[in-house]
Amino acid sequence: MNHRDAEPPVPAAAGLTGTWRLVSYVDVDEAGNVSEGPLGPAPEGLLIYHEQGHMAVSMMRTGAPEAAGPGERAGGAAPARRPETFMGYAGRWRLADERTVVHHVAVSAHSHQVGRELVRELERDGDRIVLHGTAVIGGRPQRRRLCWERVRG
């Protein structure tokens, strides 16, 4: 048995452990205006919190992929940046307090996140949780709000 397998349960985690389905993912600007998040209008995703402190999140854009632009075929100009289609990472998690969860990223689809601690504000409402985080987009802080619903059964 690996020493990591014997780690104690996350304190006060009973309300968060389990699997959560993504309900919505939106951006909120400094003025409080809500806009579509980076994965489009109807993203899908799963968030898993294990009682031993492991976690994983995978989210994707749904719908048909966008058609290739002129620079994406044979030669030509560099293609325009395509919208984000997948976000995911895994690692360990802990509750810093009743309103803050911290994700320590071990592996990620975005290599700049590996080794970082991602702090998320937490709201609880029965079988739903909302996680808030802030990213710098275009040099300006962008607040992201992800709503998750517990998967039963």
Side-chain angles (χ1 to χ4, degrees), residues 3 12 15 17 44 46 52 54 58 64 75 86 108 120 136 152:
H3 75 280
T17 57
E44 292 184 8
L46 291 172
Q52 296 297 320
H54 299 281
S58 293
F86 178 82
S108 175
R120 303 292 185 243
V136 177
R152 296 282 181 192

Side-chain angles (χ1 to χ4, degrees), residues 61-80:
R61 178 180 291 268
T62 60
E66 294 189 10
E72 295 175 309
R73 294 190 186 113

